[in-house]
Amino acid sequence: MTNPYRLLPSVTELLERPELTGSLAAFSREIIVETIRRELDRLRAGIAANAVSEPPSPAAIAERVVASLHSLNPSKLRPVINATGIVLHTNLGRAPMAESAARAAYDAARGYLNLELDLATGERSSRQDAVREGICRITGAEAATAVNNCAAATVIALRALAAGKEVIVSRGQLVEIGGSFRIPEILEVSGATLREVGTTNITRAADYENAIGPNTGAILRVHASNYKLRGFTQAVGVEELAAIGRKHGVPVIDDVGSGAAVDFAALGFPDEPLVGTGIRAGADVVLFSGDKLLGGPQAGMIAGKKRWIDAIEKDPLMRAVRLDKMALAALEATLAAYRDPVQVFAEVPVLRMLTTPTDELRTRCERLAERLREIEGFASCEVLDDIAYVGGGSLPDQAIPTVVLALAAKGIGEEEFARRLRVGVPAVLARLKNGRVLFDPRTVFDSQDDALVTAIRSAVRGSP
Ligand SMILES: *Cc1c(COP(=O)(O)O)cnc(C)c1O
């Protein structure tokens, strides 16, 4: 008889098992090694007590290690492989950050940094200094600051410029962005009063001009990022609004939302305004998010005339909505990536994902399909053309042609298949369509392909 102890795999052998690929990305190596040792000790004890005559296969042991790691880390927040193809998935944390930005956040998190200290003079400085120049560079504005998110940016800008006064907004722009961000309510909490002008579909320059009076605090323009009016419509462009504002001495706030800092129109997304457009057109303050098309951390950018930026920074609310050191470090690095207009597409994942050619996606799908076809358990495994959306309230009807891997598992419905993928480690999110689960490699990092194959294999085999 073979010595059962000798049938046990080594720690190194187990570490190299494909079942553990996902865990290597999610847990520290030390914890994985410790968990493997514990599992092997448990098996040796079983052999010694004659409870185990033949040890389980290395694959089965590796899967027990994964389950054990899983139970050891009961975090609510866990890494997810996003195979939905939705690049800005709000439920999955919107933009994945550039390596440089993630590293900056990591360094900021684990140590000290000169957050509010000028190292040259030893004097106290402003935390905003880290990002001012970068925001000014991508917008062309003379001054800039940043807060927690674009919702906070809108509230504080309205407060600082127009509290106690009227803010003129077109009825066509009284939108809800999602997650209870509604322009009329935002205006209310800012302490300004809403003065609606125009109609849902038509607002003209004269509507704004007629509404301007002694109590006008600002004109607000909102880019309707998540819906679109078609047919008989008219709106006043930011250039014309800025001219009206100048003529009457009323500041114009342009909430552009998504924050495209590269020319998305040239990439085939014609409706996305550049963050610099409003500034060039003469808007006083431009607002946009950090974690939408800019591809950085959650943040709200405020760019514009120095006079207004100073007023915003002096507002007592600034302290309540300021960015923390990690977000600031990540934002500084994200903005730095935009210095190189070519390299930025390789460095910022959102830009890279949105511009990945379908040929490349097809090749990846085919490679994944090839690896999966070796496994029993699929009723179908096909590479198909499909359509994806940007998500995150950006570019609502901009369908992006994409290529997906479509799978159906034998004996389990697509809902159960998707559930198993969701509760696995790492969790995998995919799309469901016509009885199949669709995996879109557009939003899956190359480095996650192995973990994805393992997760699919486990889900089909019924574990976890
Ligand atoms: C998304 C969006 C916001 C809210 O931005 P957050 O960063 O999510 O707070 C505000 N205005 C517009 C136009 C938006 O598109």
Side-chain angles (χ1 to χ4, degrees), residues 88 94-97 138 146-151 153 257-259 275 287-302 323 327 330-331 334-335 338 348 350:
L88 297 173
R94 280 202 193 150
M97 286 194 267
I138 62 166
V147 294
N148 245 322
N149 50 33
C150 192
S258 310
V275 293
L287 314 169
F288 56 97
S289 286
D291 56 351
K292 291 185 183 168
L293 295 177
L294 189 70
Q298 180 189 303
M301 253 52 70
I302 308 176
L323 285 165
L331 185 56
T334 305
L335 292 164
Y338 280 86
V348 173
V350 169

Side-chain angles (χ1 to χ4, degrees), residues 20 48 54 62 91 102 222 266 327 349 367 369 376 383 394 414 419 432:
L20 278 167
E54 196 184 323
N91 299 353
V222 182
R367 223 176 283 149
E376 298 275 300
V383 176
S394 307
E414 77 272 27
R419 187 197 64 80
L432 301 186

Side-chain angles (χ1 to χ4, degrees), residues 110-247:
R110 65 197 301 271
Y112 298 104
L113 75 168
N114 60 326
L115 185 65
E116 295 186 348
L117 183 73
D118 182 337
L119 292 175
T121 63
E123 306 278 324
R124 184 169 177 180
S125 68
S126 161
R127 64 174 62 207
Q128 309 293 340
D129 292 346
V131 294
R132 283 186 213 289
E133 185 252 317
I135 304 173
C136 288
R137 182 165 33 75
I138 62 166
T139 56
E142 64 180 30
T145 193
V147 294
N148 245 322
N149 50 33
C150 192
T154 314
V155 173
I156 199 169
L158 288 166
R159 233 179 89 97
L161 273 65
K165 295 185 178 168
E166 280 181 1
V167 173
I168 304 174
V169 191
S170 159
R171 288 198 168 89
Q173 294 171 7
L174 293 174
V175 293
E176 170 168 325
I177 303 291
S180 77
F181 179 93
R182 293 175 146 195
I183 294 297
E185 287 163 16
I186 289 289
L187 257 156
E188 206 174 308
V189 300
S190 77
T193 321
L194 171 63
R195 175 73 192 268
E196 303 177 26
V197 296
T199 60
T200 303
N201 58 329
I202 303 274
T203 302
R204 299 189 179 90
D207 295 323
Y208 286 96
E209 289 211 79
N210 293 339
I212 293 177
N215 201 30
T216 304
I219 295 172
L220 172 67
R221 177 178 176 270
V222 182
H223 175 60
S225 341
N226 58 359
Y227 95 117
K228 204 168 162 181
L229 281 173
R230 281 195 199 79
F232 184 52
T233 74
Q234 193 178 329
V236 183
V238 66
E239 215 154 304
E240 203 175 346
L241 273 187
I244 294 170
R246 263 198 310 277
K247 183 170 149 199

Side-chain angles (χ1 to χ4, degrees), residues 318-403:
M318 191 67 186
R319 171 62 190 254
V321 296
R322 72 182 185 185
L323 285 165
D324 68 88
K325 61 178 182 173
M326 292 165 287
L328 271 167
L331 185 56
E332 181 186 16
T334 305
L335 292 164
Y338 280 86
R339 279 208 192 98
D340 186 329
V342 178
Q343 188 58 25
V344 70
F345 282 90
E347 204 171 333
V348 173
V350 169
L351 300 184
R352 189 172 68 226
M353 288 171 176
L354 285 173
T355 55
T356 307
T358 46
D359 285 353
E360 211 170 288
L361 298 171
R362 197 179 311 280
T363 308
R364 269 182 76 198
C365 280
E366 273 157 10
R367 223 176 283 149
L368 288 168
E370 226 163 84
R371 293 175 65 179
L372 288 165
R373 281 195 193 109
E374 294 167 4
I375 307 163
E376 298 275 300
F378 292 113
S380 75
C381 175
E382 275 185 283
V383 176
L384 301 175
D385 287 282
D386 202 53
I387 294 292
Y389 292 88
V390 179
S394 307
L395 306 165
D397 38 273
Q398 190 74 51
I400 316 172
T402 200
V403 182

